[in-house]
Amino acid sequence: MNIKIAHLYPDMLNLYGDRGNIIALTQRMKQRGIDVSTDAITMGKTFNADDYDILFIGGGQDFEQDVLLDDLKKGKDAEINKAIQSSKVMLAICGGFQMLGKYYKTYDGKMLEYMGALDFYTEGKPERMIGNYAFKTKEGIEIVGFENHSGRTYLGTGVEPLGKMIKGYGNNGEDGTEGVRYKNTFGTYSHGPILPKNPQFADFLISKALENKYGKTELAPLDDILEEKARKQVFKLYIK
Amino acid sequence: MRVFLSCLVCRFVTFVLQKLGRGATSMPGQFALRVKRNVLADLSKNVKVIIVTGTNGKTTSCRIIEEGLKEAGKSYFINKSGANLITGVTASFIMNSTITGKATKEYAIVECDENAFKEVSRYIRADVILVTNVFRDQLDRYGEVTHTLNAIKESVKNLPNATVCLDADCSLTYSMSREIPNKVITFGVNVPFEKDAKAPEISDAKYCIFCKHEYDYTYHTYGHLGGFVCPKCGYKRPDPDFAVTSVGELKQDHSIVAASFAGSENIIKINIGGSYNVYNAIGCAAALSAAGIDEKTVISALEHFNGAFGRMEQFDAGDGKHKVNLILVKNPAGFSQTMKFLSSIDEDYTMILSLNDNGADGRDVSWIWDVDFSDIFKKENIKDIYVSGKRCYDMAIRVKYEGSEGREIKVIENEDYEKLCDIATSQGRDVYIVPTYTSMMTMRPVIAKRLGGKEFWE
Ligand SMILES: [Zn+2]
């Protein structure tokens, strides 16, 4: 078996250790004998979504986001759209997550037109929402992470939240939702390495990607003792 | 009158705290500021003030500058102990003034992070400002890396009469030279530390700060530092006034470099290992010269200074043979450089990584995933790997996913630094402990007590 990952803008959207997610996906597949390769889809580079099984996009600084929006509109947005609609697995984090939505309105009124691939929008507020947090997906996967965003995201009717908040702010600090999901696309504010510490969620994504390509596949269990202890440490310190 | 009162209150509170057996805290300064808000303006009038700011290398730079002043026979004081907020700075000025507010020392060395600098720069008067570099640091507190830069830039603008020493190799730091009215002196390293050093996988400044085009580089030293050129708008690294022109030796405990100080050539031994400390050395050469210290003394200071505590600090392991080394890490750039330094060691050693997530460490531990650990664990002379600290398991996972090459990752739970000390002294080999800030602050007294070393509050 062979899985190809497209890492979008690894050179620009690499804030908060996002590449930890690629490392986790790769390691967890390799240990199960699955071949994995990752292509960096950088600025100015075109790509065909059909060539990939998993798309990943991380978060970045505001300074770099303007440059990036121009580049997205030169064709990458259409490929990302195609990938989403054809049920490819996609994980988008923080800034990358926001960009899948319709727009970002900064708190001083500036409008940034985003991709509009999914039915949600984001509005900025001066106060950032920061901290260790946890949420639960409808499959019952409990995800622990760290959020740090000034944007408040409001979901439309065409999409579901990725999870319900256990502790923390989530999408907007109001409605108890976190992230977005649509087909096999998942967006979350849990920036940085969400997958190494949430192996269940990492395997969930891997399973979906394998299912798309090879039909239902059983994943061999891995030794996740350290991961479990890391999760427990965060839960004990910050969640409950 | 208020200056007098403010000083008096500060001294009184300090006296009481000392009687109570507590070290210097921010409390005396708080009281002083309550009495007279701009007491610092008066206090800094008759003393030459050198401010050290930037992301990495502040404390080591202060140590070098201190050595320079000492060898030049100048009297000075330094705001130590991480007490670098406005209250701490105020208290240290008061403790080095007469009761009427007249300075009793010739020089003051003030270490400020960018946030403290903003506050301090509104009141203080300064002669020299050293800006070491700007890297991504503790994002959950400060936001974007350009925020750090802007905070420093605005602070420098508050002190237009100071000479500013800027890192020419840091496109972020040097960019402020266009906007500040100050006299600027630049420093840098003209050559890579290793032949054909490549661009880092993660750069804190890949795109031109002025026009957002991607930089070209004629060479890389570390992180985003090096010979940057913007092909679009022409912004580029200047020829530094104080430059390391070639690198002779980079050893564990020292480096030997050739350097040009405003045109005069020197061979310098820097009394601390690590390529990033070559930057600290050349930056301090610029700052000390700007402060009126002669070249010969500067070179001697670089040869003789001792590392600041927790920054490449060495203790005897107790067996008369081996050392326990402490290297503080605060952000991806510094941590990556520390790993690079450790990969240059050939002797067997035990590595202990200690991660906390308190305010001063950064609440968000995600940054450890931006640290470049490439190939370090492939080296067979790392005999054992331990992790400790409040977030020891996050560190454990980081090492695990990097590939610990079959080694068990051993965990020291519950911030048990006595146990860490037991382990560090029973290895029968050298030990390198790499803690984040608050972990270092808690662990160091335990180590110092057992292995000998200066008390923190001295
Ligand atoms: Zn430019």
Side-chain angles (χ1 to χ4, degrees), chain B residues 409-424:
Chain B
I409 302 160
K410 297 175 181 167
V411 183
I412 305 164
E413 286 185 312
N414 303 323
E415 298 180 73
D416 187 347
Y417 296 130
E418 288 289 349
K419 188 175 165 196
L420 182 146
C421 222
D422 293 341
I423 291 165

Side-chain angles (χ1 to χ4, degrees), chain B residues 163-178:
Chain B
T163 300
V164 181
C165 305
L166 298 178
D167 187 341
D169 301 358
C170 175
S171 59
L172 294 166
T173 306
Y174 181 63
S175 72
M176 77 175 76
S177 66
R178 290 201 186 171

Side-chain angles (χ1 to χ4, degrees), chain A residues 27 61 191 197 223 238, chain B residues 144 357 364 394 400-401:
Chain A
Q27 294 260 17
Q61 305 195 29
H191 69 53
K197 211 158 53 201
D223 170 4
Y238 300 111
Chain B
E144 320 250 328
D357 67 350
D364 180 5
D394 276 87
K400 176 184 169 179
Y401 277 93

Side-chain angles (χ1 to χ4, degrees), chain B residues 208 210-211 230 232-235:
Chain B
C208 177
F210 296 111
C211 76
C230 172
K232 192 171 166 201
C233 76
Y235 172 53

Side-chain angles (χ1 to χ4, degrees), chain B residues 13-197:
Chain B
V13 176
T14 307
F15 174 78
V16 172
L17 283 174
Q18 276 167 354
K19 286 285 154 205
L20 291 170
R22 302 205 187 148
T25 67
S26 63
M27 215 195 284
Q30 271 166 19
F31 277 98
L33 286 166
R34 213 166 284 167
V35 179
K36 189 172 194 296
R37 190 69 202 158
N38 63 346
V39 63
L40 204 49
D42 296 291
L43 294 170
S44 59
K45 238 181 238 161
N46 301 308
V47 52
K48 277 200 167 178
V49 177
I50 304 171
I51 294 176
V52 179
T53 188
T55 310
N56 284 344
K58 289 187 289 290
T59 307
T60 299
S61 294
C62 284
R63 283 293 301 112
I64 300 174
I65 292 170
E66 191 181 351
E67 182 69 24
L69 296 178
K70 196 197 288 174
E71 292 198 14
K74 309 288 184 190
S75 61
Y76 65 90
F77 66 95
I78 178 162
N79 85 304
K80 264 189 184 174
S81 314
N84 54 10
L85 293 172
I86 181 80
T87 48
V89 175
T90 305
S92 71
F93 271 83
I94 290 172
M95 298 317 286
N96 290 283
S97 304
T98 61
I99 198 71
T100 56
K102 207 172 163 303
T104 54
K105 305 275 163 61
E106 293 165 90
Y107 285 84
I109 306 168
V110 180
E111 178 186 334
C112 284
D113 69 21
E114 66 276 14
N115 278 359
F117 192 20
K118 247 160 105 179
E119 179 84 3
V120 169
S121 68
R122 286 162 56 201
Y123 303 108
I124 210 167
R125 200 202 51 74
D127 298 88
V128 178
I129 301 166
L130 169 60
V131 186
T132 57
N133 47 48
V134 175
F135 284 103
R136 192 180 281 171
D137 191 31
Q138 299 171 0
L139 278 146
D140 53 324
R141 279 169 68 202
Y142 303 138
E144 320 250 328
V145 70
T146 44
H147 285 200
T148 308
L149 173 65
N150 289 337
I152 295 175
K153 187 166 66 191
E154 292 314 310
S155 310
V156 170
K157 283 184 188 165
N158 288 337
L159 301 164
N161 297 320
T163 300
V164 181
C165 305
L166 298 178
D167 187 341
D169 301 358
C170 175
S171 59
L172 294 166
T173 306
Y174 181 63
S175 72
M176 77 175 76
S177 66
R178 290 201 186 171
E179 286 180 53
I180 55 177
N182 305 56
K183 182 181 177 207
V184 169
I185 298 178
T186 53
F187 61 89
V189 178
N190 292 356
V191 289
F193 292 109
E194 309 151 35
K195 247 189 160 178
D196 308 319

Side-chain angles (χ1 to χ4, degrees), chain A residues 12-21 56 58-62 93-95 128-130 146-150 189-194, chain B residues 136-145 202 204 332 364-371:
Chain A
M12 302 186 74
L13 300 179
N14 56 20
L15 208 51
Y16 317 110
D18 285 318
R19 74 200 183 116
N21 295 311
F56 175 78
Q61 305 195 29
D62 295 343
I93 296 194
C94 207
R128 293 185 84 82
M129 304 195 283
I130 305 175
F146 196 94
E147 59 180 329
N148 182 348
H149 52 113
S150 53
Y189 273 116
S190 179
H191 69 53
I194 173 175
Chain B
R136 192 180 281 171
D137 191 31
Q138 299 171 0
L139 278 146
D140 53 324
R141 279 169 68 202
Y142 303 138
E144 320 250 328
V145 70
I202 288 173
D204 294 344
D364 180 5
V365 297
S366 301
W367 65 276
I368 58 173
W369 291 85
D370 286 333
V371 176

